[in-house]
């Protein structure tokens, strides 16, 4: 079984109704785990909640929480990676998970990202090798928990952006096989990312602390109405 982990902080709890609502809608019967510093009065009774010490760096927070769960395979998200449709769980759990179990591929990201849109080495059906400079990223990826713990526990960086840059060096040094899933139908968003056909989520619904209406106006507007959220309270990036 895969542990579907959502990392957050109470400062972003205004996002939780939307995040949790969409996950509860689409992830029925699956293990939902929240990493956070506290939950206050929010109801996560159907989730496993794992608390971290907020004095720790981002990566040490994640590593410490990973030590408290028993899942062998995990996918890590952040609270603003909002789902807009149901993932293709049959592909993920029946086609991709066996590749990770057999250690044919160590990391499988669910969206394509690259700084140069060049052809990448094919590693399987709709699977391509990640560019070396993007072999790891703070984006949903299927991975062994032990491997994620090794990356988060051994990568330096004083914040999440420095961690992400440094984690690439760890992944490349340890020679992990890192792939992304892309079937060619996905829409490109901005300069460097594509949507995911099997994992329909927003790459980052919040940019610099504000709702990212520049990239996801339609999707976020619909969700704001569904969950009764006033985007002006957090602010809008457009």
């Amino acid at each position: 079984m895969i542990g579907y982990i959502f990392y957050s902080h109470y400062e972003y709890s205004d996002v939780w109704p939307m995040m949790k609502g969409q996950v509860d809608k689409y992830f029925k019967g699956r293990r939902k785990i929240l990493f956070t510093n506290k939950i206050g009065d929010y109801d996560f009774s159907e989730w496993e909640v794992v608390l971290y010490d907020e004095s720790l760096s981002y990566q040490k927070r994640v590593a410490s929480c990973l030590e408290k769960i028993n899942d062998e395979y995990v996918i890590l998200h952040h609270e603003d990676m909002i789902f807009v449709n149901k993932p293709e769980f049959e592909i993920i759990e029946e086609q991709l998970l066996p590749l990770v179990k057999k250690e044919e591929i160590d990391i499988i990201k669910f969206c394509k990202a690259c700084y140069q849109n060049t052809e990448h080495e094919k590693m399987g059906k709709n699977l391509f090798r990640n560019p070396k400079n993007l072999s790891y990223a703070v984006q949903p990826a299927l991975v062994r928990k032990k491997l994620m713990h090794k990356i988060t526990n051994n990568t330096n960086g004083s914040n999440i952006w420095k961690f992400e840059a440094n984690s690439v060096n760890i992944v490349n040094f340890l020679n992990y096989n890192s792939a992304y899933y892309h079937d060619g139908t996905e829409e490109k968003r901005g300069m460097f990312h594509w949507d995911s056909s099997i994992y329909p989520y927003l790459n980052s619904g919040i940019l610099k602390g504000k709702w990212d209406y520049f990239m996801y106006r339609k999707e976020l507007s619909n969700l704001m109405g569904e969950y009764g959220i006033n985007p002006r309270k957090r602010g809008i990036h457009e």
Side-chain angles (χ1 to χ4, degrees), residues 17-197:
M18 182 187 295
M19 175 203 78
K20 183 178 182 296
Q22 292 299 96
V23 173
D24 287 346
K25 184 192 302 181
Y26 296 128
F27 285 68
K28 296 185 187 305
R30 290 175 170 80
R31 268 183 56 72
K32 299 166 288 190
I33 306 164
L34 177 68
F35 290 177
T36 184
N37 60 323
K38 66 177 183 178
I39 61 169
D41 296 328
Y42 286 87
D43 180 12
F44 281 92
S45 55
E46 296 182 2
W47 293 47
E48 179 176 348
V49 177
V50 183
L51 301 179
Y52 58 72
D53 179 354
E54 63 180 310
S55 70
L56 298 174
S57 65
Y58 164 79
Q59 60 269 35
K60 292 296 184 181
R61 293 174 182 180
V62 175
S64 69
C65 290
L66 289 171
E67 293 166 6
K68 299 175 185 176
I69 63 174
N70 296 321
D71 309 84
E72 188 172 358
Y73 306 95
V74 296
I75 300 171
L76 178 66
H77 322 72
H78 282 214
E79 72 282 300
D80 67 330
M81 296 172 180
I82 307 294
F83 284 87
V84 295
N85 214 329
K86 184 178 180 180
E88 298 283 353
F89 289 115
E90 287 188 3
I91 296 175
I92 294 164
E93 297 171 358
E94 297 177 16
Q95 297 181 29
L96 303 185
L97 182 57
L99 298 175
V100 177
K101 284 185 174 180
K102 291 186 248 182
E103 300 186 9
E104 294 180 18
I105 302 178
D106 299 300
I107 300 167
I108 302 178
K109 293 196 291 186
F110 296 130
C111 73
K112 177 181 180 179
C114 61
Y115 297 126
Q116 293 182 331
N117 190 17
T118 55
E119 187 171 341
H120 300 129
E121 176 188 349
K122 194 161 188 178
M123 301 180 71
K125 183 180 178 181
N126 298 328
L127 289 169
F128 301 86
R129 188 175 299 280
N130 276 307
K132 282 286 187 181
N133 58 353
L134 289 168
S135 56
Y136 190 84
V138 182
Q139 289 290 337
L142 177 61
V143 63
R144 284 182 184 272
K145 186 191 77 170
K146 288 183 178 178
L147 188 153
M148 181 175 284
H149 183 268
K150 184 177 288 187
I151 294 170
T152 53
N153 200 42
N154 292 283
T155 303
N156 294 323
S158 57
N159 56 49
I160 188 173
W161 301 280
K162 291 181 180 178
F163 159 75
E164 186 171 46
N166 293 337
S167 64
V168 167
N169 298 326
I170 293 285
V171 169
N172 293 339
F173 176 76
L174 295 174
N175 202 31
Y176 290 134
N177 281 321
S178 175
Y180 65 86
Y181 187 97
H182 185 76
D183 66 16
T185 65
E186 299 88 346
E187 179 183 348
K188 190 175 183 181
R189 297 277 187 166
M191 297 177 65
F192 308 122
H193 287 89
W194 281 255
D195 287 346
S196 175
S197 60

